[in-house]
Amino acid sequence: MKKSILLTCMLAALGGCGGDNGKSITPADDHGDKGNNARYQELNNKYFYALKDKTDNPTASPLVMDIGEVPGTAVATNNPLTVERPSADETAAMQEVIRRVNALRAEQGREPVAWDDSLTAYAEVRAQELKQGFSHKRPDGSSDQDPRYVTRGYVYPNNGGNYKTPEEVVEGWKNSPGHYANIMNPEHRKVGVGYHHDPSTYSSGDSKEGYLGVANWVLVLGDGNTQSIYNLTAASPEISVDGVRQKLGGITVSGAKGKVIPLANGYQLSFRGYSDSQAYGQIEKGGTPLAYVNIGQPYLPKETDRFSATYKGKSIGDWAGVPTTADVTARVDFQANNKSMALTLDNTMLNGQPHKTLDFSDTLHWNTAHHRFEAAKDNYARFYGSYASEVGGQFKHDVENKNYQGAYGAVIQP
């Protein structure tokens, strides 16, 4: 399981950079220039309506960094239905199995399946049980599809014995009609992978100088509602607040462009989106996006400001670890009795393929104390740029019981 860390680092640095979205709204001499109020009002009329009391410089604010959810390491538990979270090496092997399974599904136009903690825990239990007898029956004689072990939906396990690598076991399932049919079931959305290597056992023909022990693999597939009675241990953060602050303490918006910053424990931060006043990127490990970051100098409107505007831009994200991009539209209404932002993500691409199921809309409301728009489940957005010429933020949304999350930036439309 993941624990959420929401980190806001207030940094002294300030910078700017060119945009990659094909549009830049940065009139160099006009914003905040009391001596050029006529031209300034012309810009206001172009971008907003009824925007008043804007003859002074905007409220000064330091660079702000928002960091979303980060993964962690295993924490021990004595709960018999809780399974120790796989090590980093085991997780990498399991993710490689999933990648290869999704490659097979893509060949037949099937949607990808995504890692699920509950199914992974059940798969881990079954992989260890296989050393007692290689079959689809559990040690007590019950079926591995028995509804006592699955609280919702149905599971379709694939067992693989004595395969040394993810490539070998997926190839074995591909060449087995029954296993291949399970993989290709169009209803599947979730997957768990179990792996157990027993160094005390040796496969036929192997010597102790050769392959050390039998490896059992289990693939558990299910639809979007499927859950098992098992789960993985909770996680504590691998990336510390102080560690992130130390790594990113001197960063500027312009300095973030194209930057890949190594973090602790094999993580890295890769900035993927830029505009004149903000940058956003993702924390990733082994190519899998895990958390998101926004940086920039927020524009802090006055409570007496009144304006409406539409912003357009792009998002990056992931659906249960599978990368996504989408078009972003944000419609802001900043009035006396209603300060809200209607956020829409559409034309979503999942691993480069259209996936309309992930399109969604949400309404965020202004939090005066936090100087940003907010909604449930860590959805939030800030104003950036000269006189709120940009917005940027992060989103989190449940789709088919899987987490869809990411970051975005957008510029105002004339």
Side-chain angles (χ1 to χ4, degrees), residues 120-137:
T120 296
Y122 186 31
E124 283 279 80
V125 170
R126 288 293 298 129
Q128 294 185 45
E129 290 177 349
L130 289 181
K131 68 181 181 181
Q132 303 178 42
F134 198 86
S135 76
H136 284 281
K137 290 190 178 295

Side-chain angles (χ1 to χ4, degrees), residues 271-293:
F271 282 98
R272 302 278 301 278
Y274 319 96
S275 67
D276 293 330
S277 305
Q278 60 175 314
Y280 55 94
Q282 65 187 30
I283 294 174
E284 57 192 22
K285 187 174 186 179
T288 301
L290 300 168
Y292 296 88
V293 175

Side-chain angles (χ1 to χ4, degrees), residues 54-87:
K54 274 286 190 284
T55 56
D56 294 327
N57 286 325
T59 303
S61 63
L63 192 76
V64 167
M65 179 183 304
D66 291 317
I67 298 181
E69 193 175 354
V70 294
T73 53
V75 176
T77 178
N78 292 322
N79 187 334
L81 297 180
T82 303
V83 181
E84 184 177 355
R85 187 171 291 272
S87 69

Side-chain angles (χ1 to χ4, degrees), residues 31-33 40 54-61 297-302 305 385-388:
H31 289 309
D33 183 353
Y40 171 59
K54 274 286 190 284
T55 56
D56 294 327
N57 286 325
T59 303
S61 63
Q297 185 184 31
Y299 171 71
L300 307 182
K302 300 174 183 177
D305 290 345
S386 300
Y387 294 103

Side-chain angles (χ1 to χ4, degrees), residues 39 58 89 93 128 130 145 159 161 180 208 215 224 228 268 311 325 365 368 371 398:
R39 170 62 176 150
D89 288 343
Q128 294 185 45
L130 289 181
Q145 295 179 284
N159 297 340
Y180 183 75
K208 292 188 177 183
S228 81
Q268 66 180 25
Y311 301 78
T325 60
H365 298 278
T368 301
H371 305 298
D398 287 332

